[in-house]
Amino acid sequence: MLKSLIEQQNNFQARLDESTYHLYEKEVSQLETEWMESLKFLECNFKFVGGIDYIKFPTPTNQKTFVNIIYDSSKRCEILKPGEPLPEGTKTMATSGTIPCAIKTLLEYFEQDVKLVEIGDMLASNGYLTPDKGTLWSAFDRLMEPIFGIKTQIQNSIFELCLSITQKKPVVALIPATYIREHIYCEPSEVHSNEAIIIWRLAGDNALITTTSSPGTHEINLYDLFRIMKRAWSCEQL
Protein backbone atom coordinates (compact mmCIF):
# COMPACT_ATOMS: atom_id res chain seq x y z
CA MET A 1 0.00 0.00 0.00
CA LEU A 2 1.23 3.49 -0.80
CA LYS A 3 2.46 5.52 2.17
CA SER A 4 -0.15 8.20 1.57
CA LEU A 5 -2.97 5.65 1.95
CA ILE A 6 -1.90 3.76 5.08
CA GLU A 7 -4.15 5.79 7.38
CA GLN A 8 -7.03 5.28 4.93
CA GLN A 9 -6.85 1.47 4.78
CA ASN A 10 -10.14 1.05 6.68
CA ASN A 11 -11.90 3.59 4.48
CA PHE A 12 -13.05 1.87 1.29
CA GLN A 13 -14.75 4.90 -0.26
CA ALA A 14 -13.18 6.19 -3.48
CA ARG A 15 -13.37 9.77 -2.29
CA LEU A 16 -10.38 10.94 -0.24
CA ASP A 17 -10.09 14.06 1.89
CA GLU A 18 -8.23 16.87 0.13
CA SER A 19 -4.92 16.58 2.00
CA THR A 20 -4.72 12.80 1.55
CA TYR A 21 -5.64 13.12 -2.11
CA HIS A 22 -2.81 15.57 -2.77
CA LEU A 23 -0.30 13.32 -1.01
CA TYR A 24 -1.58 10.36 -3.02
CA GLU A 25 -1.34 12.25 -6.31
CA LYS A 26 2.19 13.41 -5.47
CA GLU A 27 3.32 9.87 -4.63
CA VAL A 28 1.82 8.41 -7.80
CA SER A 29 3.26 11.23 -9.92
CA GLN A 30 6.76 10.50 -8.61
CA LEU A 31 6.42 6.81 -9.45
CA GLU A 32 5.18 7.66 -12.95
CA THR A 33 8.14 10.00 -13.49
CA GLU A 34 10.55 7.23 -12.48
CA TRP A 35 8.77 4.86 -14.88
CA MET A 36 9.10 7.26 -17.80
CA GLU A 37 12.79 7.78 -17.03
CA SER A 38 13.37 4.03 -17.08
CA LEU A 39 12.04 3.76 -20.64
CA LYS A 40 15.32 5.12 -22.00
CA PHE A 41 16.89 1.77 -21.15
CA LEU A 42 14.72 0.09 -23.79
CA GLU A 43 17.52 0.99 -26.18
CA CYS A 44 19.60 -1.68 -24.45
CA ASN A 45 19.09 -5.23 -25.69
CA PHE A 46 18.16 -6.83 -22.38
CA LYS A 47 16.13 -10.02 -22.05
CA PHE A 48 14.23 -11.57 -19.17
CA VAL A 49 12.97 -15.13 -18.92
CA GLY A 50 10.82 -16.55 -16.17
CA GLY A 51 7.68 -16.03 -14.17
CA ILE A 52 4.65 -18.06 -13.24
CA ASP A 53 4.46 -21.61 -14.61
CA TYR A 54 2.06 -22.03 -17.54
CA ILE A 55 0.06 -24.69 -15.71
CA LYS A 56 -0.79 -22.15 -12.99
CA PHE A 57 -2.24 -19.53 -15.35
CA PRO A 58 -5.93 -19.10 -14.42
CA THR A 59 -8.64 -19.01 -17.05
CA PRO A 60 -9.11 -15.28 -17.74
CA THR A 61 -12.47 -13.77 -16.86
CA ASN A 62 -13.84 -12.45 -20.15
CA GLN A 63 -15.98 -9.35 -19.67
CA LYS A 64 -17.61 -9.79 -23.09
CA THR A 65 -19.59 -12.76 -21.78
CA PHE A 66 -21.30 -10.78 -19.00
CA VAL A 67 -23.92 -8.80 -20.89
CA ASN A 68 -26.39 -9.82 -18.17
CA ILE A 69 -24.59 -7.99 -15.35
CA ILE A 70 -25.42 -4.31 -14.87
CA TYR A 71 -22.28 -2.40 -13.95
CA ASP A 72 -23.15 1.26 -14.00
CA SER A 73 -22.31 4.33 -11.93
CA SER A 74 -26.00 5.01 -11.31
CA LYS A 75 -26.67 1.52 -9.92
CA ARG A 76 -25.22 -1.13 -7.70
CA CYS A 77 -23.82 -4.04 -9.66
CA GLU A 78 -26.56 -6.62 -10.21
CA ILE A 79 -27.48 -9.57 -12.42
CA LEU A 80 -30.45 -9.14 -14.76
CA LYS A 81 -33.23 -11.66 -14.29
CA PRO A 82 -33.84 -14.06 -17.22
CA GLY A 83 -35.70 -12.14 -19.93
CA GLU A 84 -35.32 -8.81 -18.11
CA PRO A 85 -34.41 -6.04 -20.56
CA LEU A 86 -31.43 -3.81 -19.94
CA PRO A 87 -32.62 -0.36 -18.83
CA GLU A 88 -31.96 2.22 -21.53
CA GLY A 89 -28.62 4.00 -21.16
CA THR A 90 -27.30 1.48 -18.64
CA LYS A 91 -23.83 -0.03 -18.98
CA THR A 92 -22.99 -3.68 -18.39
CA MET A 93 -19.92 -5.58 -17.28
CA ALA A 94 -19.35 -6.42 -20.97
CA THR A 95 -18.69 -2.79 -21.84
CA SER A 96 -17.18 -1.29 -18.70
CA GLY A 97 -15.95 -4.19 -16.58
CA THR A 98 -12.27 -4.57 -17.44
CA ILE A 99 -11.00 -3.77 -13.93
CA PRO A 100 -13.43 -6.02 -11.99
CA CYS A 101 -12.74 -8.84 -14.48
CA ALA A 102 -8.99 -8.42 -14.02
CA ILE A 103 -9.48 -8.51 -10.24
CA LYS A 104 -11.56 -11.68 -10.60
CA THR A 105 -8.79 -13.36 -12.64
CA LEU A 106 -6.15 -12.33 -10.08
CA LEU A 107 -8.24 -13.71 -7.23
CA GLU A 108 -8.62 -17.00 -9.12
CA TYR A 109 -4.83 -17.22 -9.28
CA PHE A 110 -4.60 -16.58 -5.53
CA GLU A 111 -7.26 -19.27 -4.96
CA GLN A 112 -9.96 -16.91 -3.75
CA ASP A 113 -13.45 -17.78 -4.96
CA VAL A 114 -15.22 -14.41 -5.18
CA LYS A 115 -18.15 -13.90 -7.54
CA LEU A 116 -17.71 -11.24 -10.22
CA VAL A 117 -20.95 -9.54 -9.23
CA GLU A 118 -19.61 -9.17 -5.67
CA ILE A 119 -16.45 -7.50 -6.97
CA GLY A 120 -18.47 -5.20 -9.20
CA ASP A 121 -20.83 -4.31 -6.38
CA MET A 122 -17.90 -3.51 -4.08
CA LEU A 123 -16.49 -1.10 -6.68
CA ALA A 124 -19.81 0.50 -7.61
CA SER A 125 -21.14 0.90 -4.07
CA ASN A 126 -17.90 2.54 -2.90
CA GLY A 127 -17.88 5.07 -5.72
CA TYR A 128 -15.11 3.68 -7.96
CA LEU A 129 -17.32 3.48 -11.05
CA THR A 130 -17.78 6.90 -12.64
CA PRO A 131 -20.07 8.08 -15.46
CA ASP A 132 -17.23 9.26 -17.71
CA LYS A 133 -13.94 7.65 -16.60
CA GLY A 134 -14.96 4.04 -16.05
CA THR A 135 -13.55 2.35 -12.94
CA LEU A 136 -11.01 4.47 -11.05
CA TRP A 137 -7.48 3.06 -11.12
CA SER A 138 -7.14 3.79 -7.41
CA ALA A 139 -9.18 0.62 -6.79
CA PHE A 140 -5.95 -1.37 -7.17
CA ASP A 141 -4.18 0.86 -4.64
CA ARG A 142 -6.95 1.02 -2.06
CA LEU A 143 -9.05 -2.16 -2.07
CA MET A 144 -6.92 -5.15 -2.98
CA GLU A 145 -4.93 -5.26 0.26
CA PRO A 146 -7.49 -4.51 2.99
CA ILE A 147 -10.33 -6.49 1.41
CA PHE A 148 -8.59 -9.40 -0.34
CA GLY A 149 -5.19 -9.52 1.36
CA ILE A 150 -3.39 -8.91 -1.95
CA LYS A 151 -0.50 -6.44 -1.71
CA THR A 152 -0.26 -4.26 -4.82
CA GLN A 153 2.70 -2.09 -5.72
CA ILE A 154 2.83 0.44 -8.54
CA GLN A 155 5.85 -0.43 -10.68
CA ASN A 156 8.34 2.42 -10.88
CA SER A 157 10.58 1.06 -13.65
CA ILE A 158 10.75 -1.53 -16.40
CA PHE A 159 13.34 -3.37 -14.30
CA GLU A 160 11.12 -3.51 -11.22
CA LEU A 161 8.31 -4.92 -13.37
CA CYS A 162 10.55 -7.62 -14.85
CA LEU A 163 11.86 -8.49 -11.39
CA SER A 164 8.29 -8.80 -10.06
CA ILE A 165 7.39 -11.24 -12.84
CA THR A 166 10.50 -13.37 -12.32
CA GLN A 167 9.63 -13.46 -8.60
CA LYS A 168 6.30 -15.00 -9.66
CA LYS A 169 4.22 -11.93 -8.85
CA PRO A 170 1.59 -11.36 -11.56
CA VAL A 171 1.49 -7.78 -12.80
CA VAL A 172 -1.78 -6.15 -13.81
CA ALA A 173 -1.36 -3.29 -16.25
CA LEU A 174 -3.57 -0.81 -18.08
CA ILE A 175 -2.91 -0.32 -21.79
CA PRO A 176 -4.92 1.23 -24.66
CA ALA A 177 -7.70 -1.08 -25.79
CA THR A 178 -6.78 -0.20 -29.38
CA TYR A 179 -3.50 -2.08 -29.02
CA ILE A 180 -5.29 -5.26 -27.97
CA ARG A 181 -7.81 -4.95 -30.76
CA GLU A 182 -5.15 -4.38 -33.42
CA HIS A 183 -2.47 -6.81 -32.20
CA ILE A 184 -4.54 -9.65 -30.73
CA TYR A 185 -7.79 -9.45 -32.71
CA CYS A 186 -5.83 -8.18 -35.74
CA GLU A 187 -8.51 -5.72 -36.78
CA PRO A 188 -8.75 -1.92 -36.80
CA SER A 189 -10.23 -0.20 -33.79
CA GLU A 190 -11.51 3.21 -32.81
CA VAL A 191 -11.85 2.28 -29.13
CA HIS A 192 -10.21 4.95 -26.98
CA SER A 193 -10.56 3.37 -23.54
CA ASN A 194 -7.99 1.36 -21.59
CA GLU A 195 -8.04 -2.34 -20.89
CA ALA A 196 -6.53 -4.26 -18.00
CA ILE A 197 -4.15 -7.08 -18.86
CA ILE A 198 -2.23 -9.43 -16.59
CA ILE A 199 1.40 -10.27 -17.31
CA TRP A 200 2.26 -13.77 -16.11
CA ARG A 201 5.58 -14.64 -17.69
CA LEU A 202 8.47 -13.17 -19.70
CA ALA A 203 10.17 -14.93 -22.58
CA GLY A 204 13.01 -12.88 -24.02
CA ASP A 205 11.49 -10.10 -26.14
CA ASN A 206 7.91 -11.16 -25.33
CA ALA A 207 5.44 -11.17 -22.47
CA LEU A 208 2.76 -13.78 -21.91
CA ILE A 209 -0.48 -12.05 -20.96
CA THR A 210 -4.19 -12.53 -20.54
CA THR A 211 -6.76 -9.84 -21.30
CA THR A 212 -10.32 -9.22 -20.16
CA SER A 213 -11.75 -9.20 -23.68
CA SER A 214 -10.34 -12.38 -25.24
CA PRO A 215 -9.89 -16.02 -24.17
CA GLY A 216 -6.58 -17.79 -23.72
CA THR A 217 -3.02 -16.56 -23.32
CA HIS A 218 -1.32 -14.18 -25.75
CA GLU A 219 2.30 -13.40 -26.51
CA ILE A 220 3.08 -9.75 -27.22
CA ASN A 221 6.25 -7.74 -27.69
CA LEU A 222 7.61 -6.68 -24.33
CA TYR A 223 9.23 -3.48 -25.59
CA ASP A 224 6.03 -2.31 -27.27
CA LEU A 225 4.14 -3.13 -24.09
CA PHE A 226 6.44 -1.00 -21.93
CA ARG A 227 6.02 2.01 -24.20
CA ILE A 228 2.22 1.98 -24.18
CA MET A 229 1.65 1.00 -20.56
CA LYS A 230 -0.34 3.55 -18.54
CA ARG A 231 0.25 2.05 -15.09
CA ALA A 232 1.16 -1.34 -13.65
CA TRP A 233 0.87 -3.03 -10.25
CA SER A 234 2.64 -6.16 -9.01
CA CYS A 235 0.43 -8.42 -6.89
CA GLU A 236 1.29 -10.84 -4.10
CA GLN A 237 -0.59 -12.63 -1.35
CA LEU A 238 0.09 -11.31 2.15
Side-chain angles (χ1 to χ4, degrees), residues 2-235:
L2 295 172
K3 293 179 181 179
S4 57
L5 297 177
I6 290 176
E7 294 184 0
Q8 299 287 325
Q9 58 188 317
N10 294 321
N11 171 23
F12 302 146
Q13 292 294 315
R15 194 171 194 74
L16 292 167
D17 63 78
E18 187 174 358
S19 61
T20 301
Y21 177 76
H22 286 313
L23 289 173
Y24 170 68
E25 286 286 287
K26 183 177 180 179
E27 192 172 3
V28 170
S29 178
Q30 177 60 38
L31 291 169
E32 289 182 337
T33 298
E34 293 170 7
W35 173 269
M36 295 302 296
E37 290 175 349
S38 78
L39 293 181
K40 65 185 178 183
F41 291 101
L42 290 178
E43 298 174 4
C44 305
N45 188 26
F46 65 87
K47 297 183 185 297
F48 288 84
V49 177
I52 294 162
D53 296 335
Y54 298 91
I55 196 171
K56 294 184 179 179
F57 289 9
T59 300
T61 302
N62 188 338
Q63 68 184 92
K64 302 299 183 185
T65 64
F66 295 103
V67 294
N68 65 326
I69 297 181
I70 294 176
Y71 183 58
D72 190 274
S73 61
S74 63
K75 283 181 162 291
R76 296 174 66 88
C77 185
E78 58 187 58
I79 301 175
L80 289 170
K81 297 176 182 178
E84 181 183 1
L86 181 69
E88 185 176 352
T90 301
K91 295 181 180 179
T92 69
M93 192 66 70
T95 58
S96 57
T98 187
I99 286 180
C101 286
I103 291 174
K104 170 67 174 171
T105 303
L106 284 168
L107 294 179
E108 292 280 350
Y109 171 72
F110 289 112
E111 299 182 341
Q112 295 192 42
D113 184 16
V114 183
K115 291 180 173 58
L116 180 60
V117 70
E118 294 176 11
I119 297 169
D121 185 57
M122 174 192 69
L123 294 166
S125 63
N126 284 294
Y128 288 88
L129 185 58
T130 66
D132 56 342
K133 296 181 179 179
T135 306
L136 298 177
W137 300 359
S138 58
F140 288 116
D141 301 312
R142 303 199 54 212
L143 301 181
M144 295 296 286
E145 185 170 333
I147 293 181
F148 300 114
I150 305 298
K151 178 183 177 181
T152 59
Q153 181 175 341
I154 296 176
Q155 303 297 274
N156 70 351
S157 73
I158 58 178
F159 302 108
E160 182 178 52
L161 187 150
C162 290
L163 180 61
S164 294
I165 296 294
T166 56
Q167 291 177 338
K168 301 186 184 301
K169 301 175 187 177
V171 171
V172 60
L174 291 166
I175 67 172
T178 51
Y179 185 91
I180 294 173
R181 176 70 64 178
E182 293 168 0
H183 291 79
I184 293 178
Y185 296 157
C186 297
E187 58 184 54
S189 173
E190 295 183 356
V191 177
H192 299 295
S193 60
N194 297 308
E195 183 167 338
I197 65 168
I198 302 175
I199 310 168
W200 302 99
R201 189 173 181 85
L202 305 177
D205 295 342
N206 296 312
L208 296 178
I209 70 164
T210 55
T211 79
T212 63
S213 64
S214 57
T217 304
H218 307 279
E219 191 171 289
I220 65 174
N221 183 272
L222 183 62
Y223 301 94
D224 287 348
L225 181 59
F226 283 150
R227 290 187 177 95
I228 64 171
M229 201 175 289
K230 302 297 184 68
R231 193 173 298 171
W233 299 257
S234 65
C235 305

